[in-house]
Amino acid sequence: MTGTEAPAPFRLAYVPGVTPGKWVRTWEERLPDVPIELLALENAEAERAVADEAAEAALLRLPIDRSGKHAIALYTETTVLVVPKDHEVAAVDEVSGEDLADYVVLHPLDDCLDWRTPPGRAAKERPATTAEAIELVAAGVGLLAVPQSVARLHHRKDLTYRTLLDAPQSGVALVWLEERSTDLMEEFIGIVRGRTANSSRGRQQPRQEPDRKKEREQPRGKKATPAARKAAPAARSGKPRRRGR
C-alpha cells in the first residue's frame, strides 16, 4: 500500500429500525483516519453479509445462527401491534394474544419475531415483507406485530400501534465472525459498550514518556537552613517567637 492510498473502510451492516448514528459519530471522532461504511440491509441479508465477509460486523435482530460468530446483546425492544387508527383495538393501551383470536394477524416472510404460537388467525397468503404487510394493515386486511422501532420506521397518519403482551421480544445484537476479531473490531465493540477513548482495548495509543530533560531543567527549590527550619513552626502558628534573655 502506498503512502497516499486511503485505508479500507470498516463496513457495518444494520437492519431496519436500528439506529447506529451515535456509535458512528463516536467512531468518526476517535478514528478519523478510518472511514466507516454503513450497509442498510434486511435481517437475513445482514447475517449473510457477516458470514460472507461483505461486512466486518452487523447490528441485527436475534435469533440468528451463531455458529462461528460472536454476538453481544445490546438491548431488547417492546413488541407492538400495528392497527388502523379507527380500529377497535386502538381504543385500549395494550392487548394480549388471546384478545386477537378473532382477528387476522399478518406474519410477513421477513418476520423478525420468534413466534412459538402466532396470535390471531393467519391470512390466506403471507406478505413478502414488513413494508407490504404495513400496506395491508392500512387496507384493513389484518393487523401486524413488530418491534416498536419498526412500527415507528413505518409510521403513517392512518395507523397507530399498541403494546402487545405475551409476545416474543426483539433483541438487537452486534454480530461478527470469530475469526475477524481485529483491533478495529475491538475498537467498535468498545464504542457500543461505552468504553472511554483511553480504554486499554482496541488500537493501542502511543505511551507518553516523561521528558527527563525538561525535568532536569526545572529550577529546584533551595534547601532550608537549620535556622529556617527552626523558625518554621512558629511562623505557621502565627505566634511571635520569644527572644532569649
Side-chain angles (χ1 to χ4, degrees):
M1 186 173 75
T2 64
T4 58
E5 188 175 343
F10 182 87
R11 294 159 299 180
L12 176 67
Y14 69 102
V15 299
V18 175
T19 53
K22 62 179 180 180
W23 298 317
V24 171
R25 287 191 294 272
T26 303
W27 176 281
E28 291 172 341
E29 290 170 2
R30 295 187 187 178
L31 294 93
D33 57 322
V34 182
I36 185 166
E37 181 180 331
L38 297 178
L39 308 173
L41 302 171
E42 295 297 330
N43 215 69
E45 294 173 332
E47 189 175 349
R48 280 197 300 272
V50 171
D52 297 341
E53 300 188 16
E56 274 66 42
L59 297 165
L60 44 74
R61 289 190 170 84
L62 302 174
I64 60 166
D65 176 11
R66 296 203 184 197
S67 56
K69 302 184 187 76
H70 286 304
I72 298 175
L74 301 177
Y75 58 90
T76 302
E77 289 190 84
T78 300
T79 300
V80 299
L81 190 71
V82 181
V83 301
K85 276 192 173 179
D86 57 359
H87 196 279
E88 56 189 340
V89 170
V92 297
D93 293 330
E94 54 189 29
V95 61
S96 69
E98 294 180 355
D99 298 330
L100 303 177
D102 297 329
Y103 300 105
V104 172
V105 179
L106 304 168
H107 299 284
L109 295 176
D110 64 354
D111 192 347
C112 57
L113 297 175
D114 189 19
W115 296 100
R116 291 185 178 179
T117 306
R121 295 186 289 111
K124 292 181 180 179
E125 293 183 8
R126 294 182 67 182
T129 65
T130 298
E132 183 180 326
I134 290 287
E135 294 293 334
L136 294 174
V137 173
V141 174
L143 311 179
L144 175 65
V146 291
Q148 187 169 343
S149 67
V150 176
R152 289 173 176 167
L153 179 67
H154 293 281
H155 171 72
R156 291 175 50 132
K157 292 182 179 180
D158 54 346
L159 299 180
T160 187
Y161 59 83
R162 296 292 181 265
T163 301
L164 179 57
L165 306 174
D166 307 323
Q169 293 181 315
S170 170
V172 174
L174 173 65
V175 178
W176 72 99
L177 289 180
E178 291 176 355
E179 61 191 41
R180 301 199 74 179
S181 296
T182 62
D183 285 349
L184 289 178
M185 189 65 239
E186 284 293 335
E187 196 76 42
F188 192 75
I189 292 168
I191 288 171
V192 299
R193 282 185 159 172
R195 292 186 200 136
T196 65
N198 295 325
S199 169
S200 61
R201 298 202 179 187
R203 298 201 302 182
Q204 296 297 320
Q205 299 297 322
R207 188 168 170 239
Q208 296 292 329
E209 294 291 341
D211 191 336
R212 301 298 182 190
K213 184 180 178 182
K214 219 174 210 183
E215 288 181 359
R216 289 196 298 269
E217 292 174 353
Q218 291 295 329
R220 300 192 179 191
K222 295 181 180 179
K223 291 184 178 180
T225 62
R229 285 198 297 269
K230 188 175 180 181
R236 285 195 298 269
S237 66
K239 297 178 180 179
R241 293 184 66 222
R242 299 179 61 185
R243 295 175 176 267
R245 294 182 182 179

